[in-house]
């Protein structure tokens, strides 16, 4: 059961009814990775069983296939004996003709058709063009076009931003932005378990994917799935922004941005770049860093055999700088006591269930 999504379900059901009556809707469903975009639509499919559902997805490939979601949809339709759109895509037709034919195919539909296009932040240009084309022509069709995307990592000039700006002005377009779970939601998810909801919220920022993974994981280390997700995002930043991330990861779960700024020589732009690239709450620099901090810290503290047991040099320098800037050690959100006297290399923070923390002295509130 999905928590705290009643409003979004109500809106989606309303848009579906409007589409069913022939006033088609394009709904832009946005939110950071793991926030529950796909889950929301999967649950809607259970509610709207009488509609005909077609799913297509964009892939995070270095060279995305042109019109990949339409190809997925064509395959689904072909499985029911209609090879029309698949044949079109295999032919040499100009793109506009393909779009016209897709529209003609939708125009013949008599019952509500729900088309899902997932992860449009990875879309190729032709898919964005198709969405624009359909977005302008949905008004007389029994079609609900649901488009999911991550909007937290989009530069202002990204073609998707441009396409979204244009789609947003269409009368049939609606938007649903999924927020993280609240303290109450986290408490419900964590009920009966050993985790303290306050710490879980601080650790995960209320992101359901991180929450589910942490709750299902035994032990105090970072679940591999969460580490992979965070490292995949970390790989998208470089230079001084990367250094800022590594220093922030060494510093704490909840980061004192001034301390990290001075230790990493980071500019406000570096923090903004982290927020833009990371699983962050827009506009809150400090909240961007908890989830980021998880995996890089594990990696930096655990250099592994290939590095001969030595931490990467950026991490070593950052650690030294942090120690010089804050002799008492970096602050750690959630800690209620000071943990003096632990061995220098890896200390355990008693109030966080013994989670590892970097060397550098005590931890404080
Ligand atoms: N509102 C919610 N309440 C509880 N769990 C959720 C909620 N939204 C998502 N989840 C869980 O979080 C995980 C990630 O959701 P997913 O839909 O794949 O995210 P996205 O598509 O935005 O990346 C799934 O395991 C899902 O069950
Ligand atoms: Mg998804």
């Amino acid at each position: 059961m999905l928590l705290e999504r009643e409003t979004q379900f109500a809106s989606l059901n309303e848009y579906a009814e409007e589409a069913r009556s022939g006033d088609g809707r394009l709904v832009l469903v946005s939110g950071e990775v793991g926030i529950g975009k796909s889950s929301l639509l999967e649950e809607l499919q259970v509610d709207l069983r009488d509609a005909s559902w077609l799913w297509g997805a964009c892939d995070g490939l270095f060279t995305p296939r042109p019109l990949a979601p339409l190809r997925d949809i064509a395959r689904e339709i072909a499985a029911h004996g209609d090879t029309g759109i698949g044949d079109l895509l295999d032919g040499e037709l100009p793109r506009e003709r393909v779009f016209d034919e897709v529209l003609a195919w939708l125009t013949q539909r008599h019952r509500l058709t729900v088309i899902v296009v997932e992860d449009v932040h990875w879309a190729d240009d032709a898919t964005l063009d198709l969405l624009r084309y359909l977005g302008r022509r949905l008004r007389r069709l029994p079609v609900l076009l649901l488009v999911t995307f991550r909007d937290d990592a989009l530069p202002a000039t990204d073609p998707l931003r441009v396409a979204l700006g244009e789609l947003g002005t269409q009368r049939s377009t609606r938007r649903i932005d999924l927020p993280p779970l609240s303290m109450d939601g986290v408490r419900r998810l964590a009920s009966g378990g050993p985790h303290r909801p306050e710490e879980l919220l601080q650790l995960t920022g209320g992101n359901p994917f991180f929450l589910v993974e942490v709750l299902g994981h035994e032990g105090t280390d970072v679940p591999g799935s969460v580490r992979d997700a965070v490292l995949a995002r970390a790989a998208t930043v470089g230079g001084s922004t990367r250094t800022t991330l590594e220093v922030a990861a060494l510093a704490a779960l909840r980061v004192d941005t001034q301390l990290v700024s001075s230790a990493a020589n980071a500019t406000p732009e570096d923090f903004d770049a982290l927020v833009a690239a990371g699983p962050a709450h827009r506009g809150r620099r400090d909240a961007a860093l908890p989830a980021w901090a998880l995996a890089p810290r594990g990696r930096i503290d655990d250099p592994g055999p290939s590095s001969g047991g030595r931490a990467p040099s950026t991490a070593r320098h950052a650690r030294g700088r942090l120690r010089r800037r804050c002799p008492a050690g970096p602050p750690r959100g959630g800690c209620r006591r000071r943990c003096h006297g632990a061995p220098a290399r890896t200390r355990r923070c008693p109030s966080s269930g013994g989670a590892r923390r970097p060397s550098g002295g005590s931890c404080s509130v």
Side-chain angles (χ1 to χ4, degrees):
M1 221 264 301
L2 296 183
L3 301 174
E4 301 186 341
R5 296 296 183 245
E6 293 78 9
T7 319
Q8 291 82 2
F9 271 122
S11 301
L12 284 170
N13 275 301
E14 185 186 321
Y15 305 149
E17 287 320 304
E18 288 163 352
R20 199 191 293 277
S21 69
D23 188 8
R25 291 279 174 266
L26 183 153
V27 188
L28 302 170
V29 181
S30 60
E32 67 194 43
V33 67
I35 203 73
K37 302 178 291 297
S38 304
S39 309
L40 183 76
L41 302 191
E42 281 159 14
E43 199 138 313
L44 184 72
Q45 183 168 15
V46 176
D47 275 4
L48 295 178
R49 245 167 300 193
D50 60 328
S52 147
W53 281 75
L54 298 167
W55 292 75
C58 307
D59 302 302
L61 305 173
F62 287 113
T63 45
R65 293 171 305 155
L67 294 172
L70 187 59
R71 286 174 199 280
D72 292 343
I73 288 168
R75 258 196 306 276
E76 258 189 84
I77 300 169
H80 293 97
D82 182 348
T83 56
I85 293 183
D87 292 345
L88 278 177
L89 288 169
D90 292 338
E92 298 286 302
L93 285 180
R95 203 171 278 168
E96 304 72 51
R97 272 290 312 284
V98 175
F99 294 176
D100 286 346
E101 294 295 331
V102 171
L103 183 67
W105 185 83
L106 288 172
T107 309
Q108 296 162 15
R109 313 281 298 172
H110 295 300
R111 63 173 173 153
L112 174 64
T113 302
V114 184
I115 302 177
V116 180
V117 182
E118 282 256 61
D119 296 328
V120 163
H121 47 275
W122 286 321
D124 63 289
D125 289 347
T127 298
L128 292 181
D129 283 346
L130 176 63
L131 293 176
R132 277 190 182 118
Y133 176 93
L134 290 178
R136 280 197 296 269
R137 293 168 177 80
L138 282 178
R139 292 209 50 218
R140 293 182 202 290
L141 298 178
V143 172
L144 180 64
L145 178 53
L146 303 172
V147 175
T148 73
F149 62 99
R150 257 172 44 195
D151 64 349
D152 52 339
L154 287 181
T157 53
D158 191 282
L160 175 57
R161 276 240 182 275
V162 178
L164 291 175
E166 194 184 313
L167 284 172
T169 62
Q170 302 298 321
R171 278 189 55 187
S172 42
T173 302
R174 301 290 182 271
R175 285 198 74 126
I176 290 184
D177 189 23
L178 294 179
L181 298 186
S182 69
M183 184 71 239
D184 198 42
V186 174
R187 212 173 269 129
R188 283 172 65 190
L189 263 187
S191 70
H195 297 85
R196 286 182 41 203
E198 295 77 12
E199 278 182 1
L200 272 179
L201 180 63
Q202 188 179 45
L203 187 72
T204 62
N207 179 300
F209 168 73
F210 290 142
L211 281 163
V212 168
E213 295 298 314
V214 170
L215 286 170
H217 180 71
E218 287 178 13
T220 54
D221 58 331
V222 179
S225 51
V226 172
R227 180 171 301 199
D228 288 348
V230 175
L231 282 178
R233 305 295 291 279
T236 64
V237 297
S240 57
T241 304
R242 174 80 199 187
T243 309
T244 309
L245 169 62
E246 293 186 345
V247 175
L250 287 167
L253 286 177
R254 191 162 192 92
V255 165
D256 174 342
T257 45
Q258 273 187 348
L259 176 66
V260 172
S261 288
S262 65
N265 291 331
T267 62
E269 288 72 34
D270 289 321
F271 282 96
D272 288 343
L274 279 183
V275 173
H281 308 299
R282 269 178 297 274
R284 291 180 53 197
R285 283 185 196 152
D286 60 338
L289 297 167
W292 275 113
L294 293 173
R297 187 180 49 209
R299 196 176 64 97
I300 290 165
D301 275 347
D302 264 335
S306 62
S307 58
R310 287 158 60 82
S313 60
T314 314
R316 266 185 284 119
H317 287 144
R319 218 179 262 145
R321 275 195 239 159
L322 271 177
R323 227 176 272 135
R324 283 194 296 281
R325 301 275 175 179
C326 181
R332 181 182 172 87
C335 290
R336 295 247 156 66
R337 347 177 199 160
R338 293 186 162 264
C339 22
H340 293 293
R345 176 73 182 90
T346 300
R347 292 165 194 252
R348 298 211 170 243
C349 176
S351 63
S352 65
R356 282 158 57 92
R357 68 182 298 268
S359 60
S362 60
C363 60
S364 56
V365 178

